[in-house]
Structure formats: C-alpha cells, structure tokens
Amino acid sequence: MHEKASRTGKEIASFVNSYIAELNGVEKRTPKISQEFRKLKHPPVQSVKVNFDGAYDGRFCQSASRIVVRNSEGDVLLSSSKIHQEVTSAFAADALACLKAAQIGTDMQRPEIIIECYSLTIIKKCKQKRRDKSQ
C-alpha cells in the first residue's frame, strides 16, 4: 500500500521494470569525462602550479578552500584545505580560496608560479586593472 492505493502484482512489476529502464537510460546519458580534461597539465620546468577551488554551503554560511601545488613532474608539493565560517556567497568562497592560493604561491618564492582555477568570475576579477568594489 502506498498513498492508500493497492496495486496488483503486475502493476508493481511494470512499475519496477519501467523504473529500472529509466535508471539505465540515465546511466547511458551520463557524460564521460574526456582524457584531456581528466589529466592536468604540468607546469614548465622550474615552475609550480597552484590549483584551487572553493565550495559553498549557504545553509550554514560556510565554505571550504582546497589547494594543491604541483611541480613540473606532477608531484604534489603541498595540499591544503580549510573551512571558513560566515561566508556570504559562492563567489566569496572562491575568492577566499584564491587568496589562500596566492599567499601559498608567493610564500614558495619560485621564479614562476601558475595559479589555476575553474571559476571564470574569479579569473575575470583577478585580471581587472581597476580597483574592484564587490564584496
């Protein structure tokens, strides 16, 4: 009994079969990540690459920053994660992660540092020449 309605065995079997078919269809439609996207490109010799990302939880106004630093061979030199309290938006979460990534990169004192992320908004903000007045 569900929702106070009784169903016959045939109706239940039909429902289960169509549900399984639907799940199989979803599985087939799930895009596969290409090898090119999956494999990170290593930085040039004598350089390091700092990858960062932020995650935001609006229910608790918290975010998490994740940072990984790799050398030209792809070896992880440093990894870091941090929880931030009282964060107001996903943009702020990414901005906090970017700030930490820049601090880590600067502290490493390498001749060339590449800082990389997937947030187009953060990339655009970092490239602006004028002072930004956003949060």
Side-chain angles (χ1 to χ4, degrees):
M1 302 255 317
H2 181 66
E3 296 177 358
K4 299 184 181 180
S6 18
R7 305 200 193 287
T8 67
K10 280 187 174 184
E11 290 172 327
I12 293 170
S14 176
F15 170 79
V16 170
N17 285 331
S18 67
Y19 187 71
I20 290 171
E22 182 180 338
L23 289 176
N24 287 337
V26 169
E27 187 176 285
K28 289 177 187 170
R29 288 192 311 257
T30 303
K32 303 293 181 205
I33 298 172
S34 71
Q35 286 295 101
E36 183 180 325
F37 181 76
R38 199 177 301 164
K39 183 175 167 109
L40 293 171
K41 293 181 182 175
H42 303 313
V45 177
Q46 301 297 319
S47 319
V48 294
K49 184 183 281 190
V50 182
N51 292 90
F52 73 89
D53 193 18
Y56 177 64
D57 184 344
R59 293 174 299 163
F60 298 105
C61 294
Q62 293 179 329
S63 73
S65 298
R66 296 173 300 275
I67 296 149
V68 177
V69 181
R70 290 185 175 85
N71 64 14
S72 58
E73 288 81 40
D75 299 325
V76 174
L77 303 177
L78 179 143
S79 67
S80 170
S81 61
K82 182 174 181 178
I83 303 293
H84 306 277
Q85 305 296 329
E86 299 179 22
V87 179
T88 58
S89 67
F91 170 77
D94 284 337
L96 286 167
C98 181
L99 175 63
K100 185 65 176 170
Q103 289 169 337
I104 287 172
T106 302
D107 290 347
M108 296 189 86
Q109 298 181 349
R110 294 289 183 110
E112 184 180 342
I113 298 163
I114 300 166
I115 299 178
E116 188 175 76
C117 74
Y118 293 110
S119 172
L120 185 58
T121 305
I122 293 296
I123 293 167
K124 285 180 177 180
K125 293 283 185 184
C126 288
K127 287 184 173 185
Q128 284 182 349
K129 300 289 184 202
R130 60 185 164 78
R131 182 176 169 95
D132 188 82
K133 296 180 182 176
S134 66
Q135 58 180 351

